[in-house]
Amino acid sequence: MISKQQIEEKYTAIFEQAPAYVVRSPGRINIIGEHTDYNEGFVLPTAIDKAIYVGIGKRDDHIIRLYAEDFKEYFELALADVHPVDKGWPNYVLGVVHQLQLRGANLKGFDMYIDGDVPLGAGLSSSAALECAVGFALNVLFDLEIGRVDIAKIGQLAEHTYAGVKCGIMDQFASVMSKAGHVVKLDCRDLSFSYKPLELDDYAILLLNTNVKHSLASSAYNDRRASCEEGVRLVQQKFPEVKSLRDVTLEMLEAHVRPVDMEVYTKCRFVVEENERLHQACDALEHGDIETVGRQMFSAHEGLSKEYEVSCPELDFLVDYVKSFPEVIGARMMGGGFGGCTINLVKKSFQDLLVERLAPIYKEEFDLELTAIKVIPSNGTELL
């Protein structure tokens, strides 16, 4: 955890005055609901206690000055000259500025210091956290009166246009909208949402990072999207009112997709069943039944691995290994696939012992270090 005072001191050392505001915007996890977002389905994310922090202050000219602690890098640009740059990290800030300019926001120059403790490359959405921190900070600094959902949308558009990643809305939405002790049940079709209680009691959420990213990820993602779209097209021939897999039942798939294309059928069935698992997990959360949530997670991993085929040997190994311990009640791969983390529901008292046992076996099997990340569900973007 980084303190407000640390940010203020660093900001003051670099920009020679105190920041007007310090904003914290968290990374996120997703309990269940993977590859459902681009099919207008449901997701179940929450923010975590790892975040991006920005200090911000006004200038009396039209210059943007940025400093990123992670890279020990300084960047400067005139507000009138905002455009995507070759250096990666400023684009997440500039993309948000650009979206605000398109909305006619009355911006002036500002100084911004950026730091964070979201582990990079672990699939915890550090980029979305940064975009939301920037949007939130500029909103308070210049009294823009932009609502939280719009801050999330601005972050998503910044990612599309300046970072070149066509992400869904989940990451930004979770970063801005989360509430400690809850998950957000988000409908990716219309962005309606509700909070479900996440009462973990004796359990904790432990992420195990494979420290691997297979190059299959982007091509496989495009293939899966195409399969889902093809399944919808086949069903639409009989049911023209169907807009996405969200509207499709298993019976429709059985009758209209399975006889035509078994591969497409299998991929579409996974998405339809994943939405169903999410609804069942939400019912269980309402009743404080964390064991049922865990079972749905194991079931989701099975589907992601065997049916949707977006897992990898490292992820499968970690999920299979933890299954043998009664202290682990649920685990699955999290994120797009082919690397990143597994998310595990583990008895609090067993977390360290599990990692102690698992790390050397994982190292022996794959010659890779295993990184454990303990996370606590937390509030979304806030002013410190």
Side-chain angles (χ1 to χ4, degrees), residues 229-286:
E229 285 159 14
E230 176 60 10
V232 170
R233 192 187 68 78
L234 290 169
V235 171
Q236 278 172 337
Q237 292 172 356
K238 183 74 179 158
F239 299 96
E241 69 277 12
V242 161
K243 300 276 187 292
S244 68
L245 281 180
R246 158 71 171 279
D247 308 315
V248 172
T249 63
L250 291 175
E251 292 71 27
M252 290 174 180
L253 292 177
E254 201 67 45
H256 306 289
V257 181
R258 187 174 184 159
V260 182
D261 192 324
M262 195 63 192
E263 172 74 8
V264 167
Y265 165 76
T266 306
K267 299 296 177 272
C268 291
R269 187 183 65 193
F270 164 79
V271 174
V272 173
E273 289 180 340
E274 182 75 346
N275 278 317
E276 189 46 46
R277 279 188 282 268
L278 184 142
H279 293 311
Q280 288 174 9
C282 286
D283 288 344
L285 288 172
E286 296 277 11

Side-chain angles (χ1 to χ4, degrees), residues 270-313:
F270 164 79
V271 174
V272 173
E273 289 180 340
E274 182 75 346
N275 278 317
E276 189 46 46
R277 279 188 282 268
L278 184 142
H279 293 311
Q280 288 174 9
C282 286
D283 288 344
L285 288 172
E286 296 277 11
H287 295 98
D289 176 6
I290 199 73
E291 279 84 2
T292 294
V293 177
R295 283 196 292 277
Q296 297 296 347
M297 287 167 68
F298 277 134
S299 169
H301 184 80
E302 190 68 13
L304 286 159
S305 177
K306 306 287 186 290
E307 293 165 15
Y308 215 64
E309 298 179 287
V310 289
S311 188
C312 61

Side-chain angles (χ1 to χ4, degrees), residues 35-340:
H35 291 276
T36 48
D37 56 349
Y38 52 85
N39 290 297
E40 296 191 341
F42 295 85
V43 289
L44 199 63
T46 183
I48 56 172
D49 58 330
K50 312 274 187 282
I52 299 293
Y53 297 80
V54 305
I56 193 168
K58 280 183 185 170
R59 298 176 54 78
D60 40 25
D61 55 20
H62 285 79
I63 301 292
I64 299 171
R65 292 196 303 175
L66 310 175
Y67 186 85
E69 185 63 49
D70 260 4
F71 303 101
K72 301 278 187 282
E73 278 179 4
Y74 178 83
F75 179 85
E76 187 175 305
L77 191 69
L79 204 50
D81 190 29
V82 166
H83 63 279
V85 295
D86 291 340
K87 189 183 283 189
W89 66 266
N91 284 322
Y92 296 104
V93 181
L94 299 176
V96 172
V97 171
H98 176 64
Q99 288 302 320
L100 292 172
Q101 287 174 328
L102 291 177
R103 287 168 169 248
N106 185 20
L107 301 179
K108 293 196 170 65
F110 61 89
D111 292 332
M112 181 179 282
Y113 170 82
I114 303 161
D115 198 1
D117 55 8
V118 183
L120 300 178
L124 301 179
S125 300
S126 54
S127 58
L130 175 54
E131 290 148 3
C132 295
V134 172
F136 198 93
L138 291 171
N139 189 35
V140 282
L141 189 68
F142 295 112
D143 297 318
L144 302 178
E145 295 182 357
I146 297 169
R148 282 180 175 262
V149 173
D150 279 336
I151 288 173
K153 288 178 178 174
I154 285 165
Q156 182 194 21
L157 288 169
E159 186 114 5
H160 288 185
T161 53
Y162 270 53
V165 178
K166 293 276 183 256
C167 61
I169 189 74
M170 175 179 76
D171 298 348
Q172 290 83 0
F173 200 94
S175 189
V176 180
M177 301 298 294
S178 288
K179 197 162 81 171
H182 293 76
V183 287
V184 186
K185 182 185 183 185
L186 173 63
D187 183 335
C188 295
R189 169 169 283 173
D190 61 9
L191 297 192
S192 59
F193 67 98
S194 57
Y195 294 105
K196 304 290 173 189
L198 184 61
E199 288 162 13
L200 293 167
D201 298 325
D202 295 338
Y203 291 94
I205 296 170
L206 178 69
L207 307 179
L208 296 172
N209 190 355
T210 59
N211 286 310
V212 71
K213 192 75 191 159
H214 292 289
S215 56
L216 280 165
S218 51
S219 60
Y221 176 82
N222 294 334
D223 293 344
R224 300 304 176 274
R225 275 195 92 137
S227 292
C228 293
E229 285 159 14
E230 176 60 10
V232 170
R233 192 187 68 78
L234 290 169
V235 171
Q236 278 172 337
Q237 292 172 356
K238 183 74 179 158
F239 299 96
E241 69 277 12
V242 161
K243 300 276 187 292
S244 68
L245 281 180
R246 158 71 171 279
D247 308 315
V248 172
T249 63
L250 291 175
E251 292 71 27
M252 290 174 180
L253 292 177
E254 201 67 45
H256 306 289
V257 181
R258 187 174 184 159
V260 182
D261 192 324
M262 195 63 192
E263 172 74 8
V264 167
Y265 165 76
T266 306
K267 299 296 177 272
C268 291
R269 187 183 65 193
F270 164 79
V271 174
V272 173
E273 289 180 340
E274 182 75 346
N275 278 317
E276 189 46 46
R277 279 188 282 268
L278 184 142
H279 293 311
Q280 288 174 9
C282 286
D283 288 344
L285 288 172
E286 296 277 11
H287 295 98
D289 176 6
I290 199 73
E291 279 84 2
T292 294
V293 177
R295 283 196 292 277
Q296 297 296 347
M297 287 167 68
F298 277 134
S299 169
H301 184 80
E302 190 68 13
L304 286 159
S305 177
K306 306 287 186 290
E307 293 165 15
Y308 215 64
E309 298 179 287
V310 289
S311 188
C312 61
E314 295 88 350
L315 289 165
D316 288 344
F317 179 88
L318 293 179
V319 172
D320 289 341
Y321 183 86
V322 302
K323 268 184 187 162
S324 58
F325 296 101
E327 297 89 347
V328 183
I329 55 169
R332 67 174 191 86
M333 57 155 277
M334 185 179 77
F338 304 104

